[in-house]
Amino acid sequence: MLATFETELINTIKELNENTAPYLGEFENKDEMSLLIKGGDSFVFIEFVGENYKDMVKKIATYNIHILSTTQSKNKEARLENRLNAIRLCEKIDLALRNSLLSNEFAIKPNELKVSFNSISDYGYAYVLTRAIQTEFIEKTYFLMEEE
């Protein structure tokens, strides 16, 4: 259920930004970050945060959507435009998810949006917005399945 949802979530966002993938610790690795910054593009990473049961059959899953916008330029105007690009992409993702129907069959609720990385390095400038989202799932059991 969660794996299917994550795949669909990634594919939905990939329609807006081809550089979308699961988050695998890229921000913790200096070499990986330098490669991303040198790429001078926008990237979206999907991170599964956790899930908990609301009751006996409903569970809530939480994901982070990390929007990384990079530029090799360190000048102020380029950094500002880079930051605005991340905000615009976040707004497009929010709209797409609000209108999507993924396998969870419930709405995707956007939660907090925060800046999780904002830095100038030897390679350029990187800005990361992190949007937390939540959605519900119903655990299907033989009690909930329809008869054929």
Side-chain angles (χ1 to χ4, degrees), residues 42 61 64 96 112 118 139:
S42 293
N64 282 334
E112 178 184 34
N118 185 7
E139 191 71 39

Side-chain angles (χ1 to χ4, degrees), residues 42-44 66-70 79-93 113 117 125-130:
S42 293
F43 303 88
V44 179
H66 302 288
I67 301 163
L68 167 65
S69 188
T70 65
R79 292 191 328 254
L80 176 60
E81 185 59 30
N82 187 67
R83 187 177 67 82
L84 294 174
N85 285 340
I87 293 168
R88 287 184 201 106
L89 180 54
C90 181
E91 289 172 342
K92 287 179 185 176
I93 291 170
L113 176 65
F117 190 80
Y125 174 69
Y127 184 78
V128 179
L129 285 175
T130 299

